[in-house]
Amino acid sequence: MVTFLPSRPGRLADVPAFHRSIGGAESNVACALAAAGHTTRWVSRVGADGFGDHLVEAIGGYGVDVSHVRRDPDRPTGVYFRTAGDRADDAHEVAYYRAGSAASAMSPTGVDLDAVRAGRVLHLSGITAALSEDCLTLMRELTAPHPGRPLISFDVNHRPGLWGEAYGPEVLLDLARRADIVFVGEDEAEEAWGLTGGPTAIREALPEPTVLVVKQGAAGAVAFRRPPAGDRAAGAMGVPPLERSREWGRAGADGTPQSPGCDNAPRPATDHGTFEPAPRVDVVATTGAGDAFAAGFLSATLRGLPLKTRLRHGHLTAAATLTTPGDLAPPPARPLADRLAALDDPAWGRLRLGPGWTDADAEAVEEARTP
């Protein structure tokens, strides 16, 4: 979507002007990963209008492949307006104008499925599932067992206002159970699914994903990892394994590709969570921080880094967005992020990040931002 950011705090009714930017959960992740040096592709649908031109040009400007974005001559590009307040604040307002948008017309026949499945990781969001029945059908197709299916990353992104009369929580739970890596906030798990027992209770409700990341706001995040088959052998060869819980292609009795050791029946979690606190951040705006966290975590996953380090990279990429006013901010340069992620626990605990921290070198950040 095209995002309109307020020129000053206040109610939408009182804001006199807005600054145009870009937004959207999946495109935010694609842009951040491209800025971090990864090859990324954004597959979507926008209107054949000026806003669509802006989105394609701006996202492509980050280095994202936008050649598979389709232009819809009959439907407009989605837009939304928001206030400057924190999303958790009761005063926060968001006005979505995406009903009947070009993106809402995405379907299994309306996108290039081969292009979607060509990467090592396919990142999806629960927001897309809420846009229309066609979008939900597409999401179910992409998360279904399929030969050569890429690693599925799924951010729950529960947005009650987008679902209307539809039963979003049940749909989101089903999609999450089909994924390999899942991101969910502890607060949204309570809101969507009534889970009040903390990260462990969420893991018990979602045992299927190889990796489950439960975000706990400013406190930090917990990651649960169930070692997939083959990790031990890969580790013995010195090859850092990419998280993968499914080897699609083994056919069952009915010819359907099966997931080894995985069925639809819930089972108890067999792993223990790894908690990593977030650094202290002087927050400018919170919108887009969840997408940035996912991008940082996925970047470290693609690099085969340890689980604790993946969480730290998620926190650092989120901090880059938290210290800027827009939905999207360039992540810290890899040498800076790597050095900060490698700090010992006491130094990491003293770290404090404010606006402009990504422009400094690691030593300056550590010295200037550590009390």
Side-chain angles (χ1 to χ4, degrees), residues 316-331:
L316 291 168
T317 309
T321 295
L322 288 168
T323 51
T324 57
D327 292 21
L328 180 63

Side-chain angles (χ1 to χ4, degrees), residues 283-297:
V283 176
V284 174
T286 60
T287 306
D291 302 329
F293 180 95
F297 188 94

Side-chain angles (χ1 to χ4, degrees), residues 303-371:
R303 296 171 60 197
L305 300 180
L307 192 60
K308 175 177 180 176
T309 309
R310 299 178 198 186
L311 288 168
R312 286 192 173 186
H313 276 275
H315 289 319
L316 291 168
T317 309
T321 295
L322 288 168
T323 51
T324 57
D327 292 21
L328 180 63
R334 185 172 291 184
L336 170 60
D338 282 347
R339 177 163 175 174
L340 294 179
L343 292 172
D344 60 30
D345 289 346
W348 176 263
R350 293 191 299 269
L351 196 62
R352 182 169 181 172
L353 306 171
W357 73 271
T358 57
D359 297 326
D361 60 59
E363 186 172 356
V365 169
E366 191 175 346
E367 290 178 355
R369 300 296 180 185
T370 302

Side-chain angles (χ1 to χ4, degrees), residues 69 95 140 221 345:
V69 177
R140 285 174 169 154
D345 289 346

Side-chain angles (χ1 to χ4, degrees), residues 140 143-145 149 152 173-180 246 248:
R140 285 174 169 154
T143 57
R149 192 186 90 161
I152 300 295
L173 188 61
D174 175 63
L175 292 173
R177 284 174 169 163
R178 296 164 170 246
D180 300 296
R246 294 164 171 82
W248 304 119

